[in-house]
Amino acid sequence: MEPVIHEEGAIIEYMQHQYLLGIDIGGTSVKLGLFTQTGQLVNKWSIPTDKSKKGAFIVRDIAASVREQLAAEGIKQTQCIGAGVGVPGFVDIENGCVDFAVNIGWKDYPIVDILSDSLGIPTAVDNDANLAAAGEYWQGAGVGAENIVLFTLGTGVGGGVIVKGDIVHGSSGMGGEVGHVTVIPEGGAPCNCHKTGCLETVASATGIVRLAKEQAEKHKQSLLYAKKEQETLTAKAVFEAAASGDSAAESVIDESIYYLGLAAANIANVLNPEKIVIGGGVAQAGEQLLAPLRRHYRTFALENVYNDTAFTLAELGNDAGVTGAAWLAKTYAAGKK
Amino acid sequence: MEPVIHEEGAIIEYMQHQYLLGIDIGGTSVKLGLFTQTGQLVNKWSIPTDKSKKGAFIVRDIAASVREQLAAEGIKQTQCIGAGVGVPGFVDIENGCVDFAVNIGWKDYPIVDILSDSLGIPTAVDNDANLAAAGEYWQGAGVGAENIVLFTLGTGVGGGVIVKGDIVHGSSGMGGEVGHVTVIPEGGAPCNCHKTGCLETVASATGIVRLAKEQAEKHKQSLLYAKKEQETLTAKAVFEAAASGDSAAESVIDESIYYLGLAAANIANVLNPEKIVIGGGVAQAGEQLLAPLRRHYRTFALENVYNDTAFTLAELGNDAGVTGAAWLAKTYAAGKK
């Protein structure tokens, strides 16, 4: 596409309509979103993730889909001033390279070079969990705070940390691994990370179900046991059983949230965030989760730290990743032009 | 002092000799240091802290001492481009106000306005523990790293956290309270912060002595017990007894460092620092502390986090505070002119 020489009025018109592209690559689908510079979502869509040939076609598919979508919206490629992309794996953000993304098949994959070439748009990359935190910070539950901690309670426990309005990466991008804070130093369950007793082993949906199965065996009169026998024992079912007064389920929820409160307080004693944001499927329990979380947090947080912290549910759901990717585009890709 | 109009050569001469003033206010003495802009210490000195009249004379004394010292060095006040001051207490850095410094007597004390007026130099303030971390980061054990965690193991456990080359303050300046990470969630000893089971209760010199007394009572044949009876049971004595093979002392040291490793790993799983720096009196144990610390840290840190982390002893000793204060002067006071 040749650059067009605009007259003065046209340049102003053009400046007023600049967009950011957020891309969130997952194991089954790639989510895409077109945002204004102030973070309003103009359009979102998704395409399947083609994992064949070690993910070699993913960028081609993204680029084709973006061109098609921009054409349909009547937006020129040059109006997209930056793209951000989130990847589920280890990312070398400085070199724009995915070191390892096991769900996708990428290894030492120079995503930024390849994607920015294909799109014709300056591109930056980060880990998808970090970008979910950035998305909530920019347009979701974290708005108004400069320091937030996000716990995403799903199959595992992911998350991310924002300090002074920027993602905490640490020395090699391992920052923000809140799910692998050790909450049971001795005798904890094995974690996928090869340690034991991580927060993930007790506060993920999987961890809650594991605790519930243990508790059910001890209380065969419990609703928990009945659900276990019916093979309907999900994290949601445990919260429901607790809400209906099943004491075995109540003790599982309390144990799980006790450890979440301990981990959150220990992080907060070091980072003193304004907001702790809880997302992921388990966060659907809402106040049934937040109320005991505040209580356990209070036990382990310094008094001033406790007083400073608001607990809140994530607001962006599945859009957190693309929103954070657009934030990344705004912050880095646009800034580095 | 009237500004002098320099000729061109004189201006260049003047630009080449600009200094930073670091001030570290403690309960018994105020340490002062004059630094070049690249962090070289030109001169350091100290004056007693006059705590009478709720600390009302401290700033007057500092200003008089600085004037005298600059005159003796033949340095004009205008060559001091910034001053930084560290205060042991709760500091509102944005408003330049000490909310509360119990050892000194200040409460809601607008230190930045008062000190910059008295000195005639732009001034910035921060908590003294944060500035010790900044000092090690700038000129000490942290050189070369952008992300460090400092544990100062003394009477208590202080410290500070540097992320991306800046102090972590959090929402109200409570950031970096690494001594109050809870390492014994149930049944821990009471801490000065009104919680129980904080790292400070087991990894400070005081905490080590407390553990040693408990252990001595269980092992009356131990060297530890003998030292307890002689009333010579200090943290240093416990390390010495362990070094000489006293198994009771060894178990105390191992327990204390186990908890330090747990706290350090949990902070590092979130912040992924390049360096963890150990300072304070207990750090004089050197490799006797660092070797088991690395081992326990490895148990609780993610593998990549472990691989990224160098453990190192603090290098600046009592100069960390004034050095960090000079860094603050460079970073903030000078920058905001």
Side-chain angles (χ1 to χ4, degrees):
Chain A
M1 191 185 289
E2 285 296 304
V4 179
I5 308 300
H6 298 269
E7 289 176 31
E8 200 174 354
I11 289 172
I12 290 164
E13 171 77 0
Y14 161 92
M15 293 296 288
Q16 284 171 338
H17 292 86
Q18 293 186 331
Y19 297 95
L20 303 163
L21 181 63
I23 305 166
D24 183 16
I25 302 179
T28 55
S29 71
V30 179
K31 297 186 182 66
L32 299 106
L34 197 63
F35 292 78
T36 67
Q37 287 193 82
T38 54
Q40 281 170 302
L41 184 61
V42 176
N43 194 11
K44 64 173 177 173
W45 69 100
S46 71
I47 59 173
T49 305
D50 180 353
K51 291 191 283 189
S52 65
K53 302 283 179 193
K54 295 183 180 171
F57 302 123
I58 294 173
V59 165
R60 181 198 64 183
D61 293 351
I62 290 171
S65 171
V66 168
R67 273 192 295 273
E68 193 178 303
Q69 197 68 33
L70 291 181
E73 300 272 342
I75 294 170
K76 296 192 190 83
Q77 183 202 33
T78 49
Q79 285 175 269
C80 262
I81 58 165
V85 57
V87 177
F90 295 107
V91 177
D92 175 351
I93 58 163
E94 295 208 358
N95 296 306
C97 187
V98 177
D99 289 343
F100 199 57
V102 67
N103 284 340
I104 288 175
W106 289 344
K107 194 169 184 312
D108 295 325
Y109 188 76
I111 178 78
V112 161
D113 282 350
I114 295 174
L115 189 56
S116 60
D117 272 3
S118 298
L119 292 172
I121 300 170
T123 302
V125 65
D126 207 324
N127 168 273
D128 59 349
N130 284 342
L131 292 186
E136 291 289 346
Y137 159 73
W138 191 37
Q139 296 295 328
V143 167
E146 284 298 292
N147 306 280
I148 74 167
V149 179
L150 170 69
F151 291 90
T152 304
L153 310 178
T155 313
V157 174
V161 175
I162 305 289
V163 166
K164 295 187 184 179
D166 198 8
I167 295 168
V168 170
H169 292 105
S171 67
S172 69
M174 292 296 294
E177 289 286 355
V178 297
H180 299 287
V181 167
T182 302
V183 290
I184 306 176
E186 305 279 344
C191 186
N192 292 322
C193 74
H194 307 307
K195 298 198 297 143
T196 61
C198 294
L199 179 63
E200 177 162 304
T201 67
V202 287
S204 62
T206 321
I208 291 171
V209 169
R210 186 183 56 76
L211 293 175
K213 283 182 178 165
E214 289 172 12
Q215 197 67 15
E217 286 300 324
K218 291 183 200 156
H219 301 276
K220 298 207 172 173
Q221 305 308 313
S222 67
L223 189 51
L224 221 50
Y225 184 77
K227 293 204 180 199
K228 175 175 171 289
E229 292 300 293
Q230 293 159 17
E231 299 189 347
T232 56
L233 198 53
T234 60
K236 191 179 174 205
V238 179
F239 276 99
E240 285 167 357
S244 74
D246 185 67
S247 64
E250 283 171 348
S251 79
V252 168
I253 297 302
D254 193 65
E255 181 178 357
S256 174
I257 298 177
Y258 168 88
Y259 289 120
L260 181 58
L262 173 63
N266 278 345
I267 294 169
N269 287 329
V270 177
L271 299 179
N272 184 207
E274 290 95 334
K275 289 188 182 175
I276 295 180
V277 182
I278 312 294
V282 175
Q284 286 169 15
E287 197 56 31
Q288 197 188 352
L289 185 156
L290 293 187
L293 178 54
R294 285 189 198 96
R295 180 164 50 81
H296 290 304
Y297 179 78
R298 184 167 206 166
T299 306
F300 302 116
L302 286 163
E303 190 180 349
N304 285 349
V305 169
Y306 173 80
N307 290 335
D308 286 340
T309 316
F311 280 89
T312 173
L313 300 172
E315 292 176 2
L316 301 181
N318 288 333
D319 292 345
V322 283
T323 307
W327 171 87
L328 180 68
K330 178 185 168 74
T331 307
Y332 290 92
K336 282 179 182 167
K337 272 180 88 172
Chain B
M1 191 184 292
E2 286 296 303
V4 179
I5 308 301
H6 299 270
E7 291 176 30
E8 200 173 355
I11 289 171
I12 290 163
E13 172 77 0
Y14 164 89
M15 293 296 288
Q16 284 170 340
H17 293 87
Q18 293 187 333
Y19 298 94
L20 303 163
L21 181 64
I23 305 166
D24 183 16
I25 302 179
T28 54
S29 71
V30 179
K31 299 186 181 66
L32 299 106
L34 197 64
F35 292 78
T36 66
Q37 287 192 81
T38 54
Q40 282 171 301
L41 184 63
V42 176
N43 194 12
K44 64 174 176 173
W45 69 100
S46 71
I47 59 172
T49 305
D50 180 353
K51 292 191 282 189
S52 65
K53 301 283 179 192
K54 295 183 179 171
F57 303 121
I58 294 174
V59 165
R60 181 198 65 182
D61 293 351
I62 290 171
S65 170
V66 168
R67 272 192 296 273
E68 192 179 304
Q69 197 68 34
L70 291 181
E73 299 272 341
I75 294 170
K76 295 192 191 82
Q77 182 203 34
T78 49
Q79 285 174 270
C80 261
I81 58 166
V85 57
V87 177
F90 295 108
V91 178
D92 175 351
I93 58 163
E94 295 209 359
N95 296 306
C97 186
V98 177
D99 289 344
F100 199 56
V102 67
N103 284 341
I104 289 175
W106 289 345
K107 193 168 186 310
D108 296 325
Y109 188 76
I111 178 80
V112 162
D113 282 350
I114 295 174
L115 190 56
S116 61
D117 272 5
S118 298
L119 291 172
I121 300 169
T123 303
V125 65
D126 207 324
N127 168 273
D128 59 349
N130 285 342
L131 292 186
E136 292 289 346
Y137 159 73
W138 191 37
Q139 297 295 328
V143 167
E146 284 298 291
N147 305 280
I148 75 165
V149 179
L150 170 69
F151 291 89
T152 305
L153 310 177
T155 313
V157 175
V161 175
I162 305 288
V163 166
K164 295 188 183 178
D166 198 7
I167 295 168
V168 170
H169 291 105
S171 67
S172 69
M174 292 294 295
E177 288 287 354
V178 298
H180 299 287
V181 167
T182 302
V183 291
I184 306 176
E186 305 279 346
C191 186
N192 292 324
C193 73
H194 307 308
K195 299 197 298 144
T196 62
C198 294
L199 179 63
E200 178 163 302
T201 67
V202 287
S204 62
T206 322
I208 291 170
V209 170
R210 186 183 56 76
L211 294 175
K213 283 181 178 166
E214 288 172 12
Q215 197 68 15
E217 286 301 323
K218 291 182 200 155
H219 301 276
K220 298 205 171 173
Q221 304 308 313
S222 67
L223 190 50
L224 221 48
Y225 184 77
K227 293 204 182 201
K228 175 175 171 290
E229 292 301 294
Q230 292 158 16
E231 299 190 347
T232 57
L233 199 53
T234 61
K236 190 178 177 208
V238 180
F239 275 99
E240 284 167 358
S244 73
D246 185 67
S247 64
E250 283 172 348
S251 79
V252 168
I253 297 301
D254 194 65
E255 182 179 357
S256 174
I257 298 178
Y258 169 88
Y259 290 120
L260 181 58
L262 173 62
N266 277 345
I267 294 169
N269 288 329
V270 177
L271 298 179
N272 184 206
E274 290 96 335
K275 289 189 182 174
I276 295 179
V277 182
I278 312 293
V282 176
Q284 286 169 14
E287 197 57 29
Q288 197 188 352
L289 186 156
L290 293 186
L293 178 55
R294 286 188 197 96
R295 180 164 50 80
H296 290 304
Y297 179 78
R298 184 166 206 166
T299 307
F300 302 116
L302 287 163
E303 190 180 348
N304 285 348
V305 169
Y306 173 79
N307 290 335
D308 286 339
T309 315
F311 280 88
T312 173
L313 300 172
E315 292 176 1
L316 302 181
N318 288 333
D319 293 345
V322 283
T323 308
W327 172 88
L328 180 69
K330 179 185 168 73
T331 308
Y332 291 92
K336 282 179 182 167
K337 274 179 87 171

